[in-house]
């Protein structure tokens, strides 16, 4: 009788130990569904290396559900400002197979290679992408920015 | 030996206790807090309607909202379909005015915060929306010349105290509208530009008064909001703010595995966007392609934000200016409705396609493809228990 008890206790102890280890593994694991998120850098070389592009919210912060303006700054490889570029904006949410809820457009050139992009709106949290097709005297190139809310 | 046994039992108890309670991660807590009513920002001023916050305008708007005289035959008002004691809707799959319409009446709580109006968003302001049912032959079925004469006769003084002098209507025909019967359209076309503009201006002001009234229709606190507040502050939940384990599971699914919160987000449970969710059309109703057919309509509307009847400057027109015009995802896309109060106002969807929340959840779980365009929702593996939990959670938004 006593020996059965001992096995039962040992079994219990082992189960508890296993549960404890699992709990530690679970509790210390990163909570986000996407531990290795997309590259969210704000300054990037364009895909073929023609330009260096910087994309930042004009007011510094991003607010979900509001129409906002962003600034796209374009420099050449050598650091010269890119003037009179034609810029087309597109994008969407890669994980939800839908595009942008608005059609952002370039509405102003502010000098020093800075272009104002108005009509940017993020309607939900998650991973958004904005793609720019840029064309100027220096040639045509594209660049993609990730925005994670 | 004794000590080891005691330790083992304690460990087991600790593990079991941890399993029993539905805990929320920090990320989940953040999402739950973002859905609570206390995060609803104050209503912004509507610069396109300078009467939006004028109490006398709201009072006139309220009178007009309930006035049966505001229809062709004196039998229909806004409140025929938007019933004040039924969350401003009518419990019907498709609304009935002078005729039977093709869509379900929308509940109005919080509507003043929307950028677009109607299931397809074919109007871009609350006041431009308000004049639309007045002339819809299936709703109030009137014509704008008749409404303007009616306002002068019935509410002339009240109108003039708010909006200033009424124009001279002595030469304006009794019945005329660019949207009416053949005879009304012919009469409208025969009127001078000046007469047409005078009528449109009073007609727009009718819309602005009604819009001022509608701004007061706001969502109410629910059990969910009390639960969320306690969760955020770490206070011990009391009374009806205590969630059952089923409601807790439903909430966890709503913001997690079932992905409802991707579209039904923020304190009104809507992203104010348009999505194709594969809701099937209703047999016998005319073809309905949703948002894709609405963009041209709002662009052509003389009362839109770019039009002559807007107050304030054009900087308020961002939504119209940056509207998505032709994207494949607009096909059969409809406005995401708020889920506050939804549990007590079946049927559901733009034409009352589903008669219960169980049917809605079954629809999302199956995620059948759309008859046209591509549905954005994907099949969900949900057990019967999980489906019931989602429904139980939705009910906490209506208690």
């Amino acid at each position: 009788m006593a020996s059965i008890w001992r096995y039962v206790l040992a079994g219990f102890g082992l189960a508890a130990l296993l549960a404890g280890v699992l709990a530690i593994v679970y509790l210390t694991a990163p909570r986000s569904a996407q531990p290795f998120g997309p590259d969210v850098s704000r300054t990037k070389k364009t895909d073929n290396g023609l330009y260096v592009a910087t994309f930042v919210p004009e007011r510094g912060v991003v607010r979900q559900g509001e129409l906002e303006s962003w600034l796209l700054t374009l420099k050449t490889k050598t650091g010269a400002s890119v003037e009179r570029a034609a810029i087309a904006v597109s994008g969407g949410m890669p994980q939800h197979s839908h595009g942008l809820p608005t059609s952002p457009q370039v509405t102003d050139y502010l000098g020093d290679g800075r272009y104002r992009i108005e009509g940017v709106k993020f309607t939900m949290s998650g991973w958004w992408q904005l793609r720019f097709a840029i064309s100027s005297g220096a040639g045509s190139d594209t660049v993609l920015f990730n925005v994670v809310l | 030996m004794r000590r080891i046994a005691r330790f083992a039992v304690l460990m087991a108890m600790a593990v079991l206790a941890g399993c029993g309670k539905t805990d929320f991660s920090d990320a989940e807590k953040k999402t739950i807090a973002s859905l609570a009513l206390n995060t609803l920002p104050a209503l912004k001023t509507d610069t396109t309607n300078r009467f939006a916050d004028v109490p006398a305008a709201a009072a006139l708007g309220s009178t007009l909202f309930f006035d049966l005289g505001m229809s062709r035959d004196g039998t229909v008002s806004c409140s025929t379909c938007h019933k004040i004691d039924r969350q401003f809707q009518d419990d019907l799959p498709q609304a009935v005015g002078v005729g039977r319409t093709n869509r379900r009446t929308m509940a109005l709580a919080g509507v003043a915060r929307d950028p677009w109006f109607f299931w397809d968003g074919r109007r871009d302001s609350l006041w431009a929306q308000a004049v639309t049912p007045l002339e819809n032959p299936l709703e109030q079925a009137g014509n704008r010349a008749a409404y303007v004469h009616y306002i002068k006769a019935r509410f002339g003084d009240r109108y003039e105290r708010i909006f200033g002098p009424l124009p001279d209507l002595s030469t304006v025909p009794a019945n005329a509208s660019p949207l009416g019967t053949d005879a009304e359209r012919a009469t409208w076309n025969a009127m001078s530009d000046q007469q047409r503009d005078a009528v449109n201006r009073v007609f727009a002001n009718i819309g602005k008064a009604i819009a001022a009234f509608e701004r007061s229709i706001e969502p109410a606190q629910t059990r969910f909001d009390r639960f969320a507040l306690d969760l955020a502050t770490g206070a011990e939940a009391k009374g009806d703010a205590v969630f059952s384990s089923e409601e807790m599971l439903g909430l966890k699914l709503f913001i997690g595995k079932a992905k409802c919160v991707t579209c039904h987000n923020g304190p009104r449970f809507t992203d104010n966007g348009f999505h194709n969710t594969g809701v099937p059309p209703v047999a016998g109703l005319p073809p309905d392609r949703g948002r894709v057919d609405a963009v041209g309509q709002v662009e052509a509307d003389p009362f839109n934000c770019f039009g002559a009847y807007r107050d304030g400057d054009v900087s308020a027109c961002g939504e119209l200016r940056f509207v998505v015009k032709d994207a494949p995802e607009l096909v059969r896309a409809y406005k995401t409705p708020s889920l506050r109060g939804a549990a007590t106002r079946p049927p559901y969807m733009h034409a009352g396609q589903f008669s219960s929340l169980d049917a809605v959840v079954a629809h999302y779980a199956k995620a059948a493809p759309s008859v046209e365009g591509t549905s954005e929702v994907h099949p969900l593996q949900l057990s019967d228990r999980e489906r019931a939990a989602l429904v139980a959670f939705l009910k906490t938004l209506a208690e």
Side-chain angles (χ1 to χ4, degrees):
Chain A
M1 200 59 208
S3 70
I4 292 180
W5 257 115
R6 212 180 282 166
Y7 279 115
V8 170
L9 273 181
F12 230 130
L14 279 176
L17 192 69
L18 186 68
V21 169
L22 282 178
I24 288 168
V25 169
Y26 174 75
L27 287 174
T28 54
R31 279 282 161 99
S32 139
Q34 238 189 324
F36 311 105
D39 166 18
V40 292
S41 31
R42 291 269 160 267
T43 296
K44 283 184 170 179
K45 251 205 205 128
T46 53
D47 296 327
N48 294 320
L50 288 187
Y51 307 103
V52 176
T54 303
F55 184 55
V56 290
E58 187 165 5
R59 281 195 285 156
V61 288
V62 189
R63 294 241 302 260
Q64 190 176 319
E66 309 242 334
L67 280 177
E68 292 179 319
S69 60
W70 286 57
L71 296 180
L72 182 73
T73 307
L74 297 175
K75 305 270 172 184
T76 61
K77 276 181 290 194
T78 57
S81 301
V82 178
E83 316 241 322
R84 281 191 287 280
I87 300 165
V89 192
S90 60
M93 290 192 92
Q95 292 163 323
H96 295 292
S97 63
H98 65 69
L100 297 173
T102 54
S103 312
Q105 288 157 31
V106 177
T107 55
D108 210 357
Y109 177 61
L110 306 173
D112 302 326
R114 292 180 305 145
Y115 297 82
R116 178 176 283 135
I117 316 278
E118 278 188 88
V120 179
K121 180 164 155 180
F122 302 110
T123 40
M124 55 173 88
S125 55
W127 172 20
W128 293 84
Q129 292 186 322
L130 277 130
R131 226 169 271 115
F132 297 94
I134 302 153
S135 170
S136 81
S140 297
D141 209 345
T142 52
V143 64
L144 182 145
F145 287 95
N146 295 299
V147 177
V148 177
L149 255 68
Chain B
M1 193 63 240
R2 263 273 187 69
R3 220 181 280 159
I4 296 178
R6 208 178 290 158
F7 177 70
V9 170
L10 274 177
M11 280 282 281
M13 276 168 59
V15 169
L16 285 176
C19 293
K21 169 161 116 217
T22 313
D23 263 328
F24 294 107
S25 69
D26 287 346
E28 284 172 330
K29 282 185 182 161
K30 214 176 125 199
T31 306
I32 294 167
S34 73
L35 296 169
L37 195 59
N38 66 328
T39 62
L40 191 71
L43 197 54
K44 283 199 199 121
T45 48
D46 177 0
T47 55
T48 73
N49 174 6
R50 65 197 166 92
F51 307 97
D53 296 309
V54 173
L60 177 60
S62 156
T63 304
L64 299 178
F65 192 92
F66 296 97
D67 181 9
L68 294 173
M70 294 292 285
S71 60
R72 170 177 297 259
D73 54 6
T75 57
V76 180
S77 69
C78 309
S79 69
T80 303
C81 304
H82 300 282
K83 298 183 193 297
I84 190 165
D85 55 347
R86 291 299 308 141
Q87 300 185 41
F88 289 94
Q89 55 88 51
D90 56 12
D91 304 312
L92 298 171
Q94 294 109 38
V96 180
V98 169
R100 182 183 204 81
T101 73
N102 309 319
R103 297 242 177 100
R104 204 190 96 220
T105 304
M106 303 174 90
L108 298 183
V111 69
R113 294 154 191 281
D114 289 0
W116 302 105
F117 303 86
F118 290 123
W119 284 103
D120 53 11
R122 66 184 179 279
R123 289 295 179 270
D124 67 343
S125 72
L126 205 47
W127 58 272
Q129 189 287 327
V131 296
T132 311
L134 296 176
E135 292 191 312
N136 182 329
L138 301 174
E139 298 186 84
Q140 278 144 293
N143 66 79
R144 64 190 69 175
Y147 285 119
V148 167
H149 285 297
Y150 176 75
I151 289 289
K152 185 178 167 113
R154 276 289 307 272
F155 306 108
D157 288 347
R158 280 175 80 181
Y159 177 97
E160 292 193 333
R161 278 200 297 274
I162 302 160
F163 299 104
L166 277 157
D168 173 17
L169 298 176
S170 56
T171 59
V172 170
N175 295 293
S177 165
L179 305 177
T181 60
D182 288 347
E184 286 160 5
R185 272 184 303 192
T187 314
W188 180 261
N189 290 335
M191 284 161 60
S192 71
D193 284 349
Q194 216 179 354
Q195 285 175 317
R196 285 197 289 241
D197 180 60
V199 170
N200 277 345
R201 204 158 286 280
V202 178
F203 197 46
N205 285 340
I206 292 174
K208 289 176 183 179
I210 294 174
F213 160 65
E214 289 173 302
R215 283 167 70 82
S216 65
I217 308 171
E218 286 274 54
Q221 274 254 337
T222 65
R223 264 187 71 213
F224 164 74
D225 300 302
R226 293 189 278 279
F227 167 83
L229 205 62
D230 286 339
L231 186 72
T233 56
E236 169 107 47
K238 278 199 256 347
D240 75 351
V242 179
F243 264 25
S244 69
S245 56
E246 186 183 40
E247 290 160 348
M248 209 94 95
L249 173 65
L251 170 55
K252 218 176 169 67
L253 290 165
F254 189 92
I255 62 173
K257 181 174 132 184
K259 299 203 173 102
C260 313
V261 80
T262 52
C263 300
H264 297 283
N265 61 29
R268 293 186 54 230
F269 288 78
T270 170
D271 62 354
N272 289 327
F274 300 90
H275 303 276
N276 179 329
T277 54
V279 173
V282 174
L285 291 184
D288 189 332
R289 302 181 75 226
R291 181 66 176 158
V292 74
D293 287 342
V295 179
Q297 295 181 49
V298 65
E299 286 187 313
D301 177 23
F303 300 106
N304 74 17
C305 196
F306 290 152
Y309 306 101
R310 176 203 71 229
D311 300 317
D313 68 273
V314 74
S315 66
C317 308
E319 291 285 352
L320 186 59
R321 183 173 177 202
F322 301 108
V323 65
V324 176
K325 286 187 186 150
D326 35 31
E329 68 240 38
L330 302 185
V331 176
R332 281 193 70 76
Y334 296 90
K335 180 164 145 172
T336 312
S338 170
L339 298 184
R340 289 187 172 274
T344 50
R345 52 167 159 81
Y348 300 106
M349 306 302 179
H350 65 270
Q353 280 91 339
F354 301 125
S355 58
S356 67
L357 286 178
D358 295 322
V360 171
V361 171
H363 163 76
Y364 281 111
K366 187 166 175 228
S370 179
V371 288
E372 200 193 349
T374 311
S375 173
E376 284 179 41
V377 298
H378 304 291
L380 297 166
Q381 297 297 328
L382 294 176
S383 66
D384 287 351
R385 183 170 150 262
E386 289 174 322
R387 289 177 194 216
L390 271 171
V391 172
F393 165 64
L394 290 174
K395 288 184 179 163
T396 70
L397 292 170
E399 293 173 347

